[in-house]
Amino acid sequence: TRVTFGGKPVGEVVEIRELPDAIDNRIATNGYVYVYELTLRVDTTVNVYESDDISAKTSGLLGEKSIAITP
């Protein structure tokens, strides 16, 4: 899956892990809660800070998923 920074492609998702123990601390509003940890490979020229917003996005006609980092 593609990773974008400010709309520009800068990397990819290299690993997705489910965290079943983290579910205990979450309250579901409509059904089940699933918690995942993603490992991202991002270009070294990109500086990602704790204040940046990282979210899952859907784009394109076929609903392609991507990860967006918004500074």
Side-chain angles (χ1 to χ4, degrees):
T1 299
R2 179 177 35 182
V3 176
T4 61
F5 183 81
K8 177 185 165 190
V10 294
E12 64 186 359
V13 176
V14 294
E15 183 181 9
I16 301 173
R17 283 185 296 184
E18 185 176 4
L19 303 175
D21 296 335
I23 295 171
D24 298 335
N25 301 330
R26 309 276 197 269
I27 298 173
T29 55
N30 295 354
Y32 297 103
V33 174
Y34 298 97
V35 180
Y36 296 95
E37 179 179 80
L38 303 178
T39 302
L40 308 177
R41 181 175 294 140
V42 178
D43 188 5
T44 58
T45 62
V46 176
N47 294 321
V48 180
Y49 299 101
E50 288 185 25
S51 60
D52 293 345
D53 182 37
I54 301 174
S55 59
K57 299 285 185 180
T58 303
S59 62
L61 295 174
L62 300 176
E64 177 184 324
K65 301 287 187 188
S66 63
I67 303 299
I69 303 171
T70 307

